[in-house]
Amino acid sequence: MFIFNGHPLSPDSAFTDPATGVQYPANWLRLASSEERAAIGITEEPDPAPYDQRFYWGPELPKDHTQLVEQWVAQTRSTANTLLAPTDWQVIREADNGKLMGAGVKAERERIRTAAGGKIASINATTTTAELAAYITSNAYSDWNPIPEPAPTDGVEFFSNGSTSAGF
């Protein structure tokens, strides 16, 4: 990052030296040598450390853990509700007229509720923002719907590129 008069400069933006009034074109920082930049007072500093803005206000400045737990529990419940919503009508139909919903649908709904409960328990078990961030960004949190490998049928093998041993 380039610093000029205590302010960061974007490499592809024109700027004016307030002391001399000299205007520099947008590509000047890229084309100028380090000596030319130093001659007018431009210094180069390392970029600030990256951080996940969902969990931190800045590098090494975590957000309040309790508020984040509340936020992620609510988000997890919302995700579970979104996954359950397409089959809610079957629950209502069963309650209204007794037409039973399929066992597969019931099992899938229970799997979603169980997964949400496990995720919420894991969120609540964290004690620091760093622990919470590590869990939320892991596959354990983001994996809601594991997709099983298709079982070969009739001697036909399925390959990862979508082709089969039968040629289709």
Side-chain angles (χ1 to χ4, degrees):
M1 164 180 359
F2 297 110
I3 305 294
F4 184 54
N5 287 337
H7 300 286
L9 285 177
S10 175
D12 294 317
S13 294
F15 65 96
T16 302
D17 183 341
T20 63
V22 175
Q23 295 181 348
Y24 294 90
N27 63 350
W28 190 85
L29 284 174
R30 292 199 186 273
L31 299 176
S33 68
S34 57
E35 293 81 19
E36 291 172 314
R37 289 191 296 265
I40 65 166
I42 295 176
T43 59
E44 190 168 0
E45 295 179 1
D47 287 335
Y51 61 93
D52 192 332
Q53 294 180 5
R54 296 174 296 174
F55 305 101
Y56 296 91
W57 294 112
E60 304 301 318
L61 186 59
K63 292 182 178 180
D64 181 65
H65 179 259
T66 304
Q67 289 177 342
L68 287 173
V69 166
E70 291 173 11
Q71 173 189 334
W72 284 102
V73 165
Q75 178 60 49
T76 303
R77 286 189 172 124
S78 175
T79 300
N81 287 337
T82 299
L83 293 170
L84 291 169
T87 57
D88 282 351
W89 67 273
Q90 293 181 31
V91 174
I92 295 167
R93 180 181 66 179
E94 188 172 313
D96 275 355
N97 64 18
K99 180 161 170 106
L100 298 177
M101 105 174 71
V105 173
K106 280 187 178 183
E108 178 64 10
R109 289 178 63 85
E110 183 58 30
R111 187 193 67 73
I112 292 168
R113 286 190 295 271
T114 302
K119 290 172 192 308
I120 290 169
S122 294
I123 290 168
N124 285 326
T126 64
T127 58
T128 66
T129 298
E131 283 180 21
L132 178 63
Y135 175 67
I136 295 297
T137 57
S138 73
N139 286 339
Y141 179 77
S142 62
D143 189 10
W144 279 86
N145 192 17
I147 301 171
E149 291 293 319
T153 57
D154 298 330
V156 175
E157 292 183 54
F158 291 91
F159 299 104
S160 60
N161 67 359
S163 66
T164 65
S165 61
F168 55 86

